[in-house]
Amino acid sequence: MKANRMEAFSDGVLAIIITIMVLEFKVPEGHDWHALIDLGPKVLSYLFSFVYVGIYWSNHHHLLHMIRTMNGRLMWLNLILLFWLSLIPFTTGWMGDSDFAPAPMALYGIILLLSAISYRGLQLAILNQYPDDSAIFKSMGKDWKVRISPFLYLIAILTAYVSPWVSGFFYVLVALIWVVPEKRIEHFLRGK
Amino acid sequence: MKANRMEAFSDGVLAIIITIMVLEFKVPEGHDWHALIDLGPKVLSYLFSFVYVGIYWSNHHHLLHMIRTMNGRLMWLNLILLFWLSLIPFTTGWMGDSDFAPAPMALYGIILLLSAISYRGLQLAILNQYPDDSAIFKSMGKDWKVRISPFLYLIAILTAYVSPWVSGFFYVLVALIWVVPEKRIEHFLRGK
Amino acid sequence: MKANRMEAFSDGVLAIIITIMVLEFKVPEGHDWHALIDLGPKVLSYLFSFVYVGIYWSNHHHLLHMIRTMNGRLMWLNLILLFWLSLIPFTTGWMGDSDFAPAPMALYGIILLLSAISYRGLQLAILNQYPDDSAIFKSMGKDWKVRISPFLYLIAILTAYVSPWVSGFFYVLVALIWVVPEKRIEHFLRGK
Amino acid sequence: MKANRMEAFSDGVLAIIITIMVLEFKVPEGHDWHALIDLGPKVLSYLFSFVYVGIYWSNHHHLLHMIRTMNGRLMWLNLILLFWLSLIPFTTGWMGDSDFAPAPMALYGIILLLSAISYRGLQLAILNQYPDDSAIFKSMGKDWKVRISPFLYLIAILTAYVSPWVSGFFYVLVALIWVVPEKRIEHFLRGK
């Protein structure tokens, strides 16, 4: 019953995080299409973060359903994850406002990296509630998406100083890995 | 069970979308009734969007109840719909702030058009879970409200450059089509 | 089942309304207690509205539980109520910002009056689902709190031009009528 | 059933309180790391309040589950608690903005003190539904965490005028008392 409430609270926080990002879109001074030009990078940043928070919402949901017994530790690991995710609107706004400058793009990755690490922490704590030889332990223990994402974020953070395009490519790559169903990825990697 | 959580999350996002629009109403400098004059178009825009989001909330609710088996595709189609709807507060604010200038009025329609297309996509994906000859497939497949709305939005977008009154008429028309129960519309079209 | 979702959505909207009012409290420039002086009327306005939205939340909850069959009409009557209530943060902010000037104080009452009328409309529509001679119909039909509130709001609106104290007295009076349990009021009116 | 809805409403309000604090992080003018320097105290304040609201959410949840019969008094005691908690974003923003000046740091403690007193009021009202000799009455009646926190807040408020470090130490201490499981604290106090 407790896990249910943690889920409801997390859902509320994630719904607010995903929605308050639009408050960054200030009503422009002008009243014609030119007034929207500056919004381009902001909308792109928002689209990105919308997808990322959507991914977290979806996976978080699956993860919490695997909890066998709730305890204070899981609650705090979950709160730590929500803390990092709650910083996404700020860094999204900064990235869009700066037209994808190196520092904001790197910060974006740092927040995503910390979120990913927190997620992995929560996942491992939940996995510990299962025996080592259970099917779920084995399949989630080697969850390659969760394992590879931090490295891709790290590359995106470092390449933010090289070019926003290279860095952006890696952010898109992580998103694609999570959004596209696993079967299609295998298919693609095997040369179609 | 999964569909339930998608519903709860969507409800949260829609409740936030419908409510944060009031943050556009900045406390005026003056302290008498004259200070409220500029608010007129803003309140009118808000009323409009409140009704539109209300319509979406109501129909969305019915739609999700028809889901037979949840899957990742439905989740993403739903997130795409929420993405477009989340841009309503911005375009509402711009429309009200500009006193119904052509560009903001057209953008308003573009966002509603994209929302309507996303809604249709979600509807068709859910319909695909039913056999072609089922009653629900037939009745929803020919859902004339969902089919006609995009065309009316298109007219409203184009006429925004003719006159805000003409364009506004079509926005009101779509809203009425959805708000007024179907029987009354048939009644009215048959010449009372 | 439908009524449940309307309740959840209304709860979400009411929770947001009651909480976004604090966004009116801008962080002051100064860093000592003097910097808070201007906040006095704002906090008082907020306290007021917090109590009012709290009252609505509580009564709304009881009311929705009486719904026998959901329909589109109830849904729209509920949305109309939420629309008026959603304007409370704006008028609360204006009232506090203006140091209880006549126009903002009157507008506050107008919004509360329109909310009260909408509430009565929703209540009557739900009552219509019960036979005229049912106990619930009789007890709620003569709900004196719902009936007397609009008149007290009207007095508060008009007296806003006489004195903020007189007007404020009537706003406090309505709040007390709703907050204090009925038995104590009867007790008090009978001369203790 | 009533207690459930109070829980859902409180969850919504707490989720909003914890999340709107990030709106205090305005997108900085500059686009390099130097632009973030001013954010240091703000992020620290936010982290603090995030933990405090997290603690309240967790304990509030346990507390409401002990309600035997809902009534208007519990509802209002709960609303009073939410009122004080809703002021946390403002005082958090002021504390961070002022770089931990005495007045904001003291106000932070005052709000936490009033929240703690309200919490104790709600707790006692719920305890009154149990017989004096019940195990739950005895264990919660002497809840040392709830009892000691107000005194530590009082010290933090007073020492805000001495040094932000001393005051901050006591805020951290209260947080630790609540976050760290009781057994570990006993362990530590007994000399490891």
Side-chain angles (χ1 to χ4, degrees), chain D:
Chain D
M1 200 183 318
K2 260 172 171 180
N4 274 10
R5 202 187 172 201
M6 192 165 97
E7 195 174 305
F9 182 75
S10 307
D11 267 10
V13 171
L14 289 174
I16 300 164
I17 289 174
I18 216 170
T19 323
I20 59 171
M21 282 192 279
V22 299
L23 294 177
E24 244 348 280
F25 302 148
K26 308 287 179 209
V27 168
E29 297 277 311
H31 297 149
D32 50 13
W33 297 105
H34 292 287
L36 296 185
I37 283 177
D38 292 345
L39 274 175
K42 285 192 179 185
V43 172
L44 195 62
S45 305
Y46 173 49
L47 178 61
F48 243 95
S49 297
F50 195 92
V51 171
Y52 268 116
V53 178
I55 291 168
Y56 267 105
W57 168 69
S58 160
N59 290 291
H60 187 259
H61 160 53
H62 288 258
L63 189 60
L64 293 202
H65 268 257
M66 283 170 44
I67 294 175
R68 288 177 131 186
T69 47
M70 259 303 281
N71 56 47
R73 203 168 146 235
L74 290 186
M75 199 203 78
W76 282 106
L77 286 170
N78 187 55
L79 277 175
I80 290 169
L81 172 61
L82 291 180
F83 178 78
W84 294 120
L85 291 176
S86 78
L87 295 178
I88 287 181
F90 166 73
T91 187
T92 301
W94 197 31
M95 190 166 71
D97 200 61
S98 73
D99 229 336
F100 303 101
M105 274 203 97
L107 183 70
Y108 191 70
I110 291 168
I111 298 298
L112 287 176
L113 179 61
L114 291 164
S115 304
I117 293 170
S118 310
Y119 184 83
R120 182 66 175 163
L122 182 62
Q123 195 186 45
L124 290 178
I126 292 172
L127 272 185
N128 268 345
Q129 303 188 339
Y130 289 85
D132 286 18
D133 57 349
S134 63
I136 212 163
F137 189 94
K138 281 178 190 161
S139 77
M140 278 199 93
K142 55 182 182 186
D143 188 339
W144 65 275
K145 288 179 175 184
V146 175
R147 282 180 157 188
I148 208 176
S149 299
F151 294 99
L152 294 175
Y153 287 139
L154 214 60
I155 297 174
I157 293 165
L158 295 174
T159 54
Y161 285 89
V162 181
S163 149
W165 295 99
V166 179
S167 176
F169 168 80
F170 285 99
Y171 288 131
V172 173
L173 188 66
V174 184
L176 282 178
I177 284 174
W178 285 93
V179 173
V180 179
E182 217 144 316
K183 281 182 188 170
R184 292 207 190 160
I185 295 178
E186 282 170 25
H187 214 66
F188 176 82
L189 290 179
R190 272 200 239 106
K192 223 191 113 186

Side-chain angles (χ1 to χ4, degrees), chain B residues 151-165:
Chain B
F151 294 99
L152 294 176
Y153 286 140
L154 215 59
I155 298 174
I157 292 166
L158 295 174
T159 53
Y161 285 90
V162 182
S163 147
W165 295 99

Side-chain angles (χ1 to χ4, degrees), chain A residues 118-164:
Chain A
S118 310
Y119 184 83
R120 183 64 176 164
L122 182 61
Q123 194 186 45
L124 289 177
I126 293 173
L127 272 185
N128 269 346
Q129 302 188 341
Y130 289 86
D132 286 18
D133 57 349
S134 63
I136 211 162
F137 189 93
K138 283 179 189 163
S139 78
M140 277 198 93
K142 55 181 183 185
D143 188 339
W144 66 275
K145 287 180 176 183
V146 175
R147 281 180 157 188
I148 207 177
S149 300
F151 294 100
L152 294 176
Y153 287 139
L154 215 60
I155 297 174
I157 292 165
L158 295 173
T159 53
Y161 285 91
V162 181
S163 148

